[in-house]
Amino acid sequence: MKIVEQEINDILHSSKKYSEKDIKNIFTKAKKLKGLNVEEVSAILNIDDKNPLLKDLFQTAKEIKDTIYGNRLVLFAPLYVSNLCNNECLYCAFRASNKLIERKALSQQEIADQALALIKQGHKRILLVAGESYPKDGLQYVFDSIKTIYAQKDGKNNIRRININIAPLTEDEFKELNKYNIGTFQLFQETYHEPTYKKLHIAGPKSKYQFRLDAIDRAFKAGMQDIGIGILFGLYDYKYEIIAMFKHIEYLEKKYGIGPHTVSVPRIEPATGSDLSENPPYPIDDLTFKKIIACLRIAVPYTGIILSTRESEAMRRQALELGVSQISAGSKTNPGGYEEDEEEKHTGEQFSLGDHRPLEKVIEDIVEHKHIPSFCTGCYRLGRVGKDFMDLAKPGLIKHHCLPNAIFSFAEYLLDYADDILQKKGFDLINQVIEKEMLDEKFQATIRKNIDEIKEGKRDVYL
Ligand code: SAM
Ligand code: SF4
């Protein structure tokens, strides 16, 4: 894969000839859920803040989100196993030369404790995160951590899907990792603009731009199916980044027949010991951030969009309307963060969080907004991954397939971890959604039968 700077700039420039009518035609095309081509993406990215078409953009994104994903929001928690790192990413607190944070690589026992703490909050999906330096045994540390997390149980509950966000691997390493039953492998390019990348990643293995860019190819060649990509917004011009990422997606789809399973949209947050993170070179204001999410929702409708706890409560709510389909909740970004005393909490974290609410509060809020919080991992365990998932997702069937499973996983959460008030509100919402979204009586009956079985104690129910 090659990103050619001039080519990206030419695309961004040529879009200036799009008229208002042309843009409206793009929205009409987008609503057919087939995605857009790169010139069309460029045209909608160039809608400026004062242009009334921005409202249409948001409305189109919302319609597409509602059609494909319905009122369902997938929840997960990051588990930072280690903040040791050999790299020098100038925006990150974990970078090797930063003396201002406490370093820690959790032992397998500590990882087990962390996983159990998350299961006891009600989590089922974990994102395992680490810096690029493993305490001993190299990558085996990560493999052991995966096994440890999957082995933890609270009654009938456990972690059912572990996604991974670690440094890029070689093809052989990816093959090895693929044996450990992981969900999505996430890797953010940070910036697709090579000169900026080189300025900001000044030492360590991550300084090699092309090795990182080619990582998704290596993962697919190694047989991995679900890959997540992302940009760290604030490092370079967001329009350039999105066009380049779109070219990357087009390339992957053409070459492997699979696009990314998810796109993450982290915005740079203040990190201890990083001046750059306090004053990012290309800061993204809230309106622009919403525009980015809306453009992505329209451009790649079948790809999940992930928002982390980096964002504030208010922004997360708005983003949900525009197309975000997964959020982290109750997060800690320091190794061991889920069990510490209050006053110890902020040592060794990666960046400041914008949303500090515990999982339960996030869920109350999601229910208030008439969305079903989902801990579902059904597709992945039924082998609906990679191309199979895309085939299911592209015609807009996620809503029909995933909504029942989201309901089951939420019902399990309500019965095992929610207080009486939330339990009542949650089951009321489930009933409303069944009535409104599942019009077929037979199907309704199947859903209700499964919910009854969950109420009688059955767990891990999915279609
Ligand atoms: N070390 C691996 C890597 O760099 O790919 C994976 C873990 S790293 C902690 C995960 C992500 O954190 C990075 O890809 C980067 O986008 C993000 N990150 C780093 N510093 C950040 C900051 N100050 N604010 C927000 N996100 C940040
Ligand atoms: Fe290390 Fe990843 Fe942070 Fe870079 S972003 S310093 S590689 S943990």
Side-chain angles (χ1 to χ4, degrees):
M1 170 73 195
K2 276 263 165 285
I3 295 289
V4 182
E5 187 174 353
Q6 190 57 47
E7 205 182 301
I8 311 281
N9 285 330
D10 287 348
I11 293 167
L12 276 170
H13 208 251
S14 75
S15 69
K16 285 186 179 150
K17 64 181 185 293
Y18 279 75
S19 68
E20 185 182 326
K21 191 165 165 245
D22 293 333
I23 301 275
K24 288 200 164 157
N25 285 339
I26 294 176
F27 293 150
T28 308
K29 178 184 171 191
K31 285 179 196 168
K32 294 185 181 138
L33 308 178
K34 296 236 162 27
L36 301 179
N37 64 39
V38 72
E39 284 78 22
E40 292 162 341
V41 179
S42 171
I44 57 171
L45 273 174
N46 277 316
I47 299 173
D48 66 43
D49 291 3
K50 304 222 161 46
N51 191 331
L53 285 168
L54 198 59
K55 257 194 171 166
D56 298 322
L57 172 72
F58 290 163
Q59 185 53 35
T60 308
K62 182 174 171 3
E63 273 180 54
I64 291 174
K65 184 253 171 194
D66 286 345
T67 311
I68 299 185
Y69 297 89
N71 47 355
R72 185 182 61 92
L73 185 64
V74 173
L75 296 173
F76 70 94
L79 202 175
Y80 281 69
V81 294
S82 160
N83 62 11
L84 312 182
C85 195
N86 287 334
N87 290 311
E88 283 294 338
C89 312
L90 296 186
Y91 44 81
C92 182
F94 294 174
R95 67 180 201 286
S97 66
N98 186 15
K99 302 269 181 286
L100 299 175
I101 64 160
E102 199 182 297
R103 301 289 167 165
K104 185 155 178 72
L106 299 182
S107 67
Q108 292 306 317
Q109 184 54 52
E110 287 169 323
I111 292 169
D113 295 344
Q114 292 287 293
L116 202 54
L118 287 168
I119 297 169
K120 285 183 172 167
Q121 286 176 27
H123 279 291
K124 302 277 187 286
R125 304 169 62 109
I126 276 183
L127 174 67
L128 184 157
V129 188
E132 188 164 3
S133 166
Y134 307 111
K136 60 177 169 58
D137 309 333
L139 211 50
Q140 189 59 42
Y141 172 73
V142 173
F143 302 152
D144 291 345
S145 307
I146 296 169
K147 283 198 280 184
T148 300
I149 295 168
Y150 276 137
Q152 303 315 305
K153 276 202 178 309
D154 174 40
K156 289 181 183 166
N157 292 304
N158 59 343
I159 295 300
R160 299 175 188 162
R161 176 173 174 128
I162 304 176
N163 297 332
I164 306 280
N165 188 328
I166 58 169
L169 307 180
T170 63
E171 198 176 318
D172 283 345
E173 288 169 335
F174 272 125
K175 277 187 189 148
E176 201 50 36
L177 176 65
N178 209 13
K179 295 177 185 160
Y180 286 84
N181 194 20
I182 64 159
T184 308
F185 185 88
Q186 290 186 356
L187 186 73
F188 309 156
Q189 185 58 32
E190 320 295 11
T191 172
Y192 281 92
H193 187 246
E194 192 168 354
T196 302
Y197 187 98
K198 291 195 162 140
K199 257 194 274 169
L200 301 179
H201 303 93
I202 53 176
K206 190 165 165 182
S207 57
K208 295 194 183 96
Y209 172 89
Q210 196 61 40
F211 183 76
R212 196 162 178 97
L213 189 60
D214 290 337
I216 314 294
D217 288 80
R218 295 195 297 277
F220 280 147
K221 283 180 191 157
M224 303 203 69
Q225 304 257 25
D226 281 353
I227 297 295
I229 61 172
I231 292 162
L232 183 55
F233 286 101
L235 301 181
Y236 190 61
D237 173 28
Y238 74 92
K239 293 182 186 173
Y240 182 97
E241 301 287 21
I242 289 184
I243 294 297
M245 182 165 77
F246 192 82
K247 295 288 278 179
H248 193 188
I249 294 173
E250 273 188 340
Y251 160 86
L252 294 171
E253 286 192 331
K254 199 163 162 217
K255 189 152 182 195
Y256 303 99
I258 326 176
H261 186 66
T262 54
V263 172
S264 295
V265 290
R267 248 194 310 188
I268 194 154
E269 290 297 329
T272 306
S274 161
D275 292 343
L276 187 127
S277 71
E278 305 274 352
N279 292 298
Y282 289 80
I284 303 286
D285 61 56
D286 286 354
L287 187 64
T288 306
F289 191 56
K290 288 191 327 190
K291 186 169 104 176
I292 289 171
I293 293 168
C295 286
L296 287 173
R297 181 64 305 138
I298 290 177
V300 282
Y302 55 87
T303 301
I305 301 181
I306 304 183
L307 196 70
S308 78
T309 356
R310 293 168 179 91
E311 296 298 335
S312 70
E313 204 176 315
M315 174 50 75
R316 277 150 62 99
R317 257 185 234 138
Q318 296 173 44
L320 169 61
E321 293 292 317
L322 293 172
V324 163
S325 54
Q326 291 190 28
I327 62 166
S328 52
S331 306
K332 299 284 185 306
T333 64
N334 52 326
Y338 292 110
E339 282 203 321
E340 289 174 340
D341 297 337
E342 274 303 310
E343 62 269 20
E344 276 183 299
K345 257 177 198 164
H346 296 290
T347 52
E349 69 184 0
Q350 193 199 2
F351 48 76
S352 327
L353 296 173
D355 184 346
H356 297 270
R357 296 170 300 164
L359 176 64
E360 193 193 347
K361 294 282 166 223
V362 175
I363 287 187
E364 279 172 17
D365 194 34
I366 296 170
V367 170
E368 210 62 47
H369 286 81
K370 304 287 176 217
H371 275 63
I372 300 276
S374 172
F375 298 92
C376 176
T377 56
C379 273
Y380 139 79
R381 282 175 310 144
L382 286 169
R384 291 194 295 252
V385 294
K387 189 160 177 356
D388 289 346
F389 178 81
M390 292 290 158
D391 289 345
L392 181 77
K394 277 187 179 164
L397 288 175
I398 299 182
K399 187 175 169 180
H400 297 286
H401 232 98
C402 299
L403 189 58
N405 289 343
I407 288 176
F408 302 152
S409 70
F410 183 40
E412 292 181 20
Y413 170 85
L414 289 171
L415 292 164
D416 293 337
Y417 299 106
D419 64 23
D420 292 350
I421 299 172
L422 182 56
Q423 212 176 88
K424 171 149 188 351
K425 282 188 186 165
F427 277 110
D428 285 350
L429 176 64
I430 288 178
N431 280 326
Q432 288 163 22
V433 170
I434 293 176
E435 296 290 333
K436 193 169 156 230
E437 306 283 342
M438 293 163 188
L439 302 179
D440 182 280
E441 275 183 21
K442 258 195 187 159
F443 194 49
Q444 268 199 14
T446 310
I447 305 297
R448 292 201 192 281
K449 183 172 163 281
N450 278 292
I451 293 177
D452 286 344
E453 286 176 6
I454 292 168
K455 286 184 175 164
E456 283 156 19
K458 193 166 169 193
R459 288 292 173 272
D460 203 6
V461 174
Y462 53 92
L463 298 178

